[in-house]
Amino acid sequence: MSSAVSNPRRHRRRPTRRLLVAAVVAVATLLGGAELLLRTKPLLDTTPFLVENLPPIGIEEDPGICRRGADEHFLQAMGETLVGGRRITSGHVYACPSAFDGLRVVFVGEAIGEVLPREGGAWLQVNDDDYALEVGPLGGHRELRGFNTGLSVWLPDGLHEQIEGVGRPGRRGDILQLEGVLHRADPQDGGGITLRADHLEIVSPTVEVVEPFHAVQAVVASMLALIAVASVIWSRRVRRR
């Protein structure tokens, strides 16, 4: 008698298993499709974004030996390497802020984000990573070059008005060559590291980044849109019944 009676738990498990299998297949299909789209995406030529003829970097190696309370001889030697218009990098500054505190430096990077006007001038973020100076904004290419790095810069009135474009998705901002005094703990910037510039030169103008047309992505998007519309129409008809 007991064998003839079907177990209701078994009937419940079968639909549950089917739903789980269907969900796994759907997720795998979505992930595989996304990866396929990335692999077939046409890549942007990054050659035009390489900024050339920049001042040489004044420090060959990162000052990794810098510690709190670095001796005066080390700081003096660090300052002497920056003579003759040689530039620093944000990596050097963050590795050893005390070595550059109060020094007049040259810094080159891309104006990004927004120019924030304040009384007497404006604040600006200037990045000098590879995306700014070598390969352009990430999106049109897949050249991963680490993280975005740069410095907070104060531009007095008369300088920030020269900036014509800032970096954002779809645009590389003006490449600026700045000169000024670097502050390890600027009270006007909440104690942050700041370059207070008094000279600005645009060495490369802002450039619009036009990504190449992705035909496969357009076809897939159109198909998904049609499926979505068909699903909505079908669900409305079912409700009317």
Coordinates of all heavy atoms in Angstrom, one line a residue, residues 27-63:
V27 N 22.5 31.8 -16.1 CA 23.7 32.6 -15.7 C 24.9 32.3 -16.5 O 25.6 33.2 -16.9 CB 23.9 32.3 -14.2 CG1 25.2 33.0 -13.7 CG2 22.8 32.8 -13.3
A28 N 25.2 31.0 -16.8 CA 26.3 30.6 -17.6 C 26.2 31.2 -19.0 O 27.2 31.7 -19.6 CB 26.4 29.1 -17.7
T29 N 25.0 31.2 -19.5 CA 24.8 31.8 -20.9 C 25.1 33.3 -20.9 O 25.7 33.8 -21.8 CB 23.4 31.5 -21.3 OG1 23.1 30.1 -21.3 CG2 23.2 32.1 -22.7
L30 N 24.6 34.0 -19.8 CA 24.8 35.4 -19.7 C 26.3 35.7 -19.6 O 26.9 36.6 -20.3 CB 24.1 36.0 -18.6 CG 22.5 36.0 -18.7 CD1 21.9 36.5 -17.4 CD2 22.2 37.0 -19.8
L31 N 27.0 35.0 -18.7 CA 28.4 35.2 -18.6 C 29.2 34.9 -19.8 O 30.1 35.6 -20.2 CB 29.0 34.3 -17.4 CG 28.4 34.7 -16.0 CD1 29.0 33.7 -15.0 CD2 28.8 36.1 -15.6
G32 N 28.9 33.8 -20.5 CA 29.6 33.4 -21.7 C 29.3 34.4 -22.8 O 30.2 34.8 -23.6
G33 N 28.1 34.9 -22.9 CA 27.7 35.9 -23.9 C 28.5 37.3 -23.6 O 29.0 37.9 -24.6
A34 N 28.6 37.6 -22.3 CA 29.3 38.9 -22.0 C 30.8 38.8 -22.4 O 31.4 39.7 -22.9 CB 29.1 39.2 -20.5
E35 N 31.3 37.6 -22.1 CA 32.8 37.4 -22.4 C 33.0 37.4 -24.0 O 34.0 37.9 -24.5 CB 33.2 36.1 -21.8 CG 34.7 35.7 -22.1 CD 35.6 36.7 -21.5 OE1 35.2 37.4 -20.5 OE2 36.8 36.8 -21.9
L36 N 32.0 36.8 -24.7 CA 32.1 36.8 -26.1 C 32.0 38.2 -26.7 O 32.8 38.5 -27.6 CB 31.0 35.9 -26.7 CG 30.9 35.9 -28.2 CD1 32.2 35.2 -28.8 CD2 29.7 35.1 -28.7
L37 N 31.2 39.0 -26.1 CA 31.1 40.4 -26.6 C 32.4 41.2 -26.4 O 32.8 42.0 -27.2 CB 29.9 41.1 -25.9 CG 28.5 40.7 -26.4 CD1 27.5 41.4 -25.5 CD2 28.3 41.0 -27.8
L38 N 33.0 40.9 -25.2 CA 34.2 41.6 -24.9 C 35.4 41.2 -25.8 O 36.2 42.0 -26.3 CB 34.7 41.3 -23.4 CG 33.8 42.0 -22.3 CD1 34.3 41.5 -21.0 CD2 34.0 43.5 -22.4
R39 N 35.4 39.9 -26.2 CA 36.4 39.4 -27.0 C 36.3 39.8 -28.5 O 37.2 40.0 -29.2 CB 36.5 37.8 -27.0 CG 37.0 37.3 -25.6 CD 37.0 35.8 -25.7 NE 37.5 35.3 -24.4 CZ 38.8 35.1 -24.1 NH1 39.7 35.5 -25.0 NH2 39.2 34.6 -22.9
T40 N 35.0 40.1 -28.9 CA 34.8 40.5 -30.3 C 34.7 42.0 -30.4 O 34.5 42.5 -31.5 CB 33.5 39.9 -30.8 OG1 32.4 40.3 -30.0 CG2 33.6 38.4 -30.8
K41 N 34.9 42.7 -29.3 CA 34.8 44.2 -29.4 C 36.0 44.8 -30.1 O 37.1 44.4 -29.8 CB 34.8 44.7 -27.9 CG 34.8 46.3 -27.9 CD 34.8 46.7 -26.4 CE 34.8 48.2 -26.3 NZ 34.8 48.7 -24.9
P42 N 35.7 45.6 -31.1 CA 36.9 46.3 -31.8 C 37.6 47.2 -30.8 O 37.0 47.9 -30.1 CB 36.2 47.1 -32.9 CG 34.8 47.3 -32.5 CD 34.4 46.1 -31.6
L43 N 38.9 47.2 -30.9 CA 39.8 48.0 -30.0 C 40.2 49.3 -30.6 O 40.4 49.4 -31.8 CB 41.0 47.2 -29.6 CG 40.7 45.9 -28.9 CD1 42.0 45.2 -28.5 CD2 39.9 46.1 -27.6
L44 N 40.3 50.3 -29.8 CA 40.7 51.6 -30.2 C 42.2 51.7 -30.3 O 42.9 51.2 -29.4 CB 40.2 52.7 -29.2 CG 40.3 54.1 -29.6 CD1 39.4 54.5 -30.7 CD2 40.0 55.0 -28.4
D45 N 42.7 52.3 -31.3 CA 44.2 52.6 -31.5 C 44.6 53.6 -30.4 O 44.1 54.7 -30.4 CB 44.5 53.1 -32.9 CG 46.0 53.3 -33.1 OD1 46.8 52.8 -32.3 OD2 46.3 53.9 -34.1
T46 N 45.5 53.2 -29.5 CA 45.9 54.1 -28.4 C 47.1 54.9 -28.8 O 47.5 55.8 -28.0 CB 46.3 53.2 -27.2 OG1 47.4 52.4 -27.5 CG2 45.1 52.4 -26.7
T47 N 47.7 54.8 -30.0 CA 48.9 55.5 -30.4 C 48.7 57.0 -30.3 O 49.6 57.7 -29.8 CB 49.3 55.1 -31.8 OG1 49.5 53.7 -31.9 CG2 50.6 55.8 -32.2
P48 N 47.5 57.6 -30.8 CA 47.4 59.1 -30.7 C 47.4 59.6 -29.3 O 47.5 60.9 -29.2 CB 46.0 59.3 -31.4 CG 45.8 58.1 -32.3 CD 46.4 57.0 -31.5
F49 N 47.2 58.8 -28.3 CA 47.1 59.3 -26.9 C 48.4 59.4 -26.2 O 48.5 59.9 -25.1 CB 46.1 58.4 -26.1 CG 44.7 58.4 -26.6 CD1 44.2 57.3 -27.3 CD2 43.9 59.5 -26.5 CE1 43.0 57.3 -27.8 CE2 42.6 59.5 -27.0 CZ 42.1 58.4 -27.6
L50 N 49.5 58.9 -26.9 CA 50.8 59.0 -26.3 C 51.3 60.4 -26.3 O 51.4 61.0 -27.4 CB 51.8 58.1 -27.0 CG 53.2 58.1 -26.6 CD1 53.3 57.6 -25.1 CD2 54.1 57.3 -27.5
V51 N 51.6 61.0 -25.1 CA 52.1 62.3 -25.0 C 53.6 62.3 -25.1 O 54.2 61.7 -24.2 CB 51.6 63.0 -23.7 CG1 52.0 64.5 -23.7 CG2 50.1 62.9 -23.7
E52 N 54.2 62.9 -26.0 CA 55.6 62.9 -26.2 C 56.3 64.2 -25.9 O 55.6 65.2 -25.6 CB 56.0 62.5 -27.7 CG 55.4 61.1 -28.1 CD 55.7 60.8 -29.5 OE1 55.5 61.6 -30.4 OE2 56.2 59.6 -29.7
N53 N 57.6 64.2 -25.9 CA 58.4 65.4 -25.7 C 58.1 66.1 -24.3 O 58.1 67.3 -24.2 CB 58.2 66.5 -26.8 CG 58.5 65.9 -28.2 OD1 59.5 65.2 -28.3 ND2 57.7 66.2 -29.2
L54 N 57.9 65.2 -23.3 CA 57.7 65.8 -21.9 C 59.1 65.9 -21.3 O 60.0 65.3 -21.6 CB 56.8 64.8 -21.1 CG 55.4 64.6 -21.6 CD1 54.7 63.6 -20.7 CD2 54.7 65.9 -21.6
P55 N 59.1 66.8 -20.2 CA 60.4 66.9 -19.5 C 60.7 65.6 -18.9 O 59.9 64.8 -18.4 CB 60.0 67.9 -18.4 CG 58.9 68.7 -18.9 CD 58.1 67.7 -19.8
P56 N 62.0 65.2 -18.8 CA 62.4 63.9 -18.2 C 62.1 63.9 -16.8 O 62.0 64.9 -16.1 CB 63.9 63.9 -18.5 CG 64.3 65.3 -18.6 CD 63.2 66.0 -19.2
I57 N 61.9 62.7 -16.3 CA 61.6 62.5 -14.9 C 62.9 62.7 -14.1 O 63.9 62.1 -14.5 CB 61.0 61.1 -14.6 CG1 59.6 61.0 -15.3 CG2 60.8 60.8 -13.1 CD1 59.0 59.6 -15.2
G58 N 62.8 63.5 -13.0 CA 64.1 63.8 -12.3 C 64.6 62.7 -11.4 O 65.8 62.8 -11.0
I59 N 63.8 61.8 -11.0 CA 64.2 60.7 -10.1 C 64.0 59.4 -10.8 O 62.9 59.0 -11.2 CB 63.4 60.8 -8.8 CG1 63.4 62.2 -8.2 CG2 63.9 59.7 -7.8 CD1 62.5 62.4 -7.1
E60 N 65.1 58.6 -10.9 CA 65.0 57.4 -11.7 C 64.3 56.3 -10.8 O 63.6 55.5 -11.4 CB 66.5 56.9 -12.0 CG 67.2 57.9 -13.0 CD 68.5 57.3 -13.4 OE1 68.9 56.3 -12.8 OE2 69.2 58.0 -14.2
E61 N 64.5 56.3 -9.5 CA 64.0 55.2 -8.7 C 63.0 55.9 -7.7 O 63.2 57.0 -7.2 CB 65.1 54.4 -8.0 CG 66.0 53.7 -8.9 CD 67.0 52.9 -8.2 OE1 67.0 53.0 -6.9 OE2 67.9 52.3 -8.8
D62 N 62.0 55.1 -7.3 CA 61.1 55.6 -6.2 C 61.9 55.7 -4.9 O 62.7 54.8 -4.6 CB 60.0 54.6 -6.0 CG 59.0 54.6 -7.2 OD1 59.0 55.6 -7.9 OD2 58.3 53.6 -7.4
P63 N 61.7 56.8 -4.2 CA 62.4 57.0 -2.9 C 61.8 56.1 -1.8 O 61.2 56.6 -0.9 CB 62.2 58.5 -2.7 CG 60.9 58.8 -3.3 CD 60.8 57.9 -4.6

